[in-house]
Amino acid sequence: MNADKTDFTQGSILKKLSLFMLPVLGALILQAAYGAVDLLVVGRFGSTAGLSAVSTGSQVLNLVTFVVTQLAMGVTVLIARYIGEKKPEQIGAVLGGAAVVFAILSAAIFVLLVGFARPISALMQAPAEALTLTTSYVRICGAGIFFIVAYNLMSAIFRGLGDSRSPLLFVLVACLVNVAGDLLLVAGLKMDAAGAAIATVAAQAVSVVLAVFILLKKQLPFTIKKSDFCFNVQCRKFLEVGLPLALQEFLTQLSFLALCAFVNRLGLAAYGVASKIVNFAMLIPSALMQSMASFVAQNVGAGDSKRAKKAMFTGIGIGLVFGCAVFALIMLKGDLLAGVFSTDAEVVANGFAYLKGFAPETIATAILFSMVGYFNGNNKTVWVMIQGLVQTLLVRLPVAYVMSIQPNASLTKIGLAAPISTLVGVALNIGFYSWLNRAEQHKQTIPE
C-alpha cells in the first residue's frame, strides 16, 4: 500500500481528495449501471412479469444495501481515524469486531428475506401476475445476502485504509460477472427473474473472494488475530458512528416510497424516468460525501482540525463546479435525457417537467453532502441523522404533498420539494458548524 497516496494528512488537499474521489465515483457509476443491466437483459430476453419482478425486488435489495453501506461507514471512519492517530494496532480489532457484527446482521436479513419473501413482495405492491417471480427474486437474493453484505463491508474497509481503487476493481469484476450470468441464465437458459437474482449473488460472491484475496496480499500496517473476532470495544465505537446513518437511510428510503404515492396521479412513469436521471446526477455529491468522511477522519485523528475544515471547503468547491454543469445540462437538455429512458412523448415531457423543479438540487447538494461528509468524519453522525430526518420528514415530504394537492399541481412544483429541503439542510448544517467552531474556540480559551 503506497503510504503517500493513502496519507491524507499532508500534501495538496485538492489533488489528494480528487484522486481518492474519482475511483469512488467510478464505483458508484458501475453500481448504478449494475442494476440497469438486470432490467435490460430481463426486459429483452425475459417476460413482462419478470421485468416487474426484478424492478420491484431490486427496490428491496437496494433498501438493504443502502442501509448496510451507511452502517459500514462507521468502520470506514474508525479505521481512517486510527490511521490518522498513528494507532494502526487498533485496526485488527475493528475488522474482527465488524466481521462478527455484520455476520449476525447477514443472518438476520437472511431469515427476513428468505422466510418472508412473499409478504415483503406483496407489501412492495408487486403486480399480481408478477408476485411469484418477485418472491423468487427476493428469496434468492436473501439466500446470498452474506456475499452482498460482505462486499459492502470489504469496500468500507478499503476506503478506511485510504484505498478507493480496490473497491472500484471489485465492482468492475462484479459487473462483468453479472453481465455474463444474465446472458447465460436469462438469455440462454430462460430462467427469467430467478436467473437475474442468481447472477447478482454470484457476481457479489466473486467480488468478495477477490476482496479477501487482495486484503491478504496487501502490506497492511496492522495484524489481525483470532482473538479479534469477537464483540469488543471497537464494535461499540463503529456502531456509534454507523447506526445513526443506517437509521436515517432506512427512514429516508421508506419516505421515498411515500413520495411515489404523491406523484402517482400526475405521472408515476414520468417520475420513474426522472428518478433514474436524478440517481446519476447525485453520483458526484455522493462520491464527495463518502470520500470526505475518510479524508476528514484521518486529519481529525492526526489532530489537524484546520486541514479537515479546508478539505470540506475544497469539497464544496469541487461539488459546485460539477453541480452547476449538471444543472445547466438538466435545464437545457432534460428532455433529451428523459428520452433515453422512454420513447413515450408524454412521459418524456412530464419527466422533464419534474427535472426542471429538481434541477437546483444539483447545486444545493454539492454544499450539503460535503458538509455531511465532514460531520461523518468528525463522528457527528447523530447530528447527520437528525438533520437528514428533519429535511426528509418535516420538509420534503410535506412540501411534496402540499404541492401535489394544489388545483394547478405539476411535477415541476413537486420537484421543487427536493432543493427546498436541501437548502433547509444547508442552513441547519451551517448553524451546527458555527456552533462547533464556537465550542472549539471556547475550549481553547479555558486554561488547563
Side-chain angles (χ1 to χ4, degrees), residues 2-240:
N2 191 320
D4 182 60
K5 288 183 179 179
T6 59
D7 183 2
F8 302 144
T9 61
Q10 54 189 335
S12 167
I13 293 176
L14 177 59
K15 181 181 178 181
K16 289 206 168 184
L17 182 59
S18 298
L19 288 176
F20 184 73
M21 172 192 158
L22 283 173
V24 175
L25 176 60
L28 289 174
I29 291 172
L30 285 174
Q31 283 176 329
Y34 191 105
V37 168
D38 283 349
L39 288 172
L40 286 171
V41 175
V42 174
R44 174 69 179 82
F45 299 102
S47 64
T48 303
L51 184 62
S52 179
V54 172
S55 179
T56 306
S58 61
Q59 289 182 47
V60 177
L61 196 60
N62 286 342
L63 174 61
V64 172
T65 301
F66 291 151
V67 171
V68 168
T69 300
Q70 291 302 312
L71 188 62
M73 180 68 76
V75 177
T76 299
V77 169
L78 195 57
I79 292 173
R81 182 75 55 83
Y82 283 138
I83 288 176
E85 292 176 352
K86 309 299 182 188
K87 296 179 180 177
E89 69 278 0
Q90 301 282 350
I91 298 176
V94 177
L95 269 59
V100 173
V101 169
F102 281 83
I104 292 172
L105 177 63
S106 299
I109 298 172
F110 172 88
V111 171
L112 182 66
L113 294 185
V114 174
F116 300 92
R118 194 171 186 87
I120 290 171
S121 300
L123 187 65
M124 292 296 293
Q125 297 182 331
E129 67 276 10
L131 184 58
T132 300
L133 287 177
T134 306
T135 300
S136 177
Y137 185 92
V138 171
R139 186 166 285 142
I140 292 168
C141 289
I145 199 67
F146 170 80
F147 298 113
I148 294 169
V149 171
Y151 162 76
N152 286 284
L153 175 59
M154 294 300 294
S155 295
I157 290 169
F158 276 94
R159 283 193 291 269
L161 292 170
D163 179 1
S164 59
R165 294 184 180 182
S166 293
L168 174 60
L169 175 62
F170 307 154
V171 74
L172 175 61
V173 170
C175 275
L176 294 175
V177 174
N178 188 51
V179 170
D182 280 340
L183 292 174
L184 173 65
L185 301 174
V186 180
L189 300 179
K190 306 298 181 184
M191 292 178 68
D192 213 5
I198 294 171
T200 295
V201 172
Q204 298 283 15
V206 171
S207 66
V208 168
V209 172
L210 177 63
V212 172
F213 176 78
I214 291 178
L215 186 65
L216 293 175
K217 288 290 183 181
K218 268 184 177 292
Q219 291 183 331
L220 298 171
F222 61 90
T223 56
I224 307 174
K225 304 183 295 292
K226 189 176 180 181
S227 59
D228 290 329
F229 292 87
C230 64
F231 287 111
N232 52 45
V233 67
Q234 304 300 342
C235 294
R236 177 181 59 80
K237 289 183 178 180
F238 71 69
L239 287 173
E240 283 178 352

Side-chain angles (χ1 to χ4, degrees), residues 237-249:
K237 289 183 178 180
F238 71 69
L239 287 173
E240 283 178 352
V241 177
L243 274 176
L245 298 177
L247 177 61
Q248 178 208 342
E249 186 67 33

Side-chain angles (χ1 to χ4, degrees), residues 273-274 277 333-343 347-349 351-352 355:
V273 166
I277 297 166
K333 300 294 182 181
D335 52 342
L336 292 179
L337 295 175
V340 171
F341 296 96
S342 177
T343 55
V347 169
V348 169
F352 187 25
L355 290 172

Side-chain angles (χ1 to χ4, degrees), residues 29 31 36 64 87 94 101 116 131 157 161 250-251 268 272 283 288 292 306 319 329-330 342 374 383 410:
I29 291 172
Q31 283 176 329
V64 172
K87 296 179 180 177
V94 177
V101 169
F116 300 92
L131 184 58
I157 290 169
L161 292 170
F250 178 70
L251 294 175
L268 189 57
L283 291 180
L288 259 175
M292 189 67 64
K306 185 179 289 187
L329 179 64
I330 288 175
S342 177
Y374 171 80
W383 164 254
S410 70

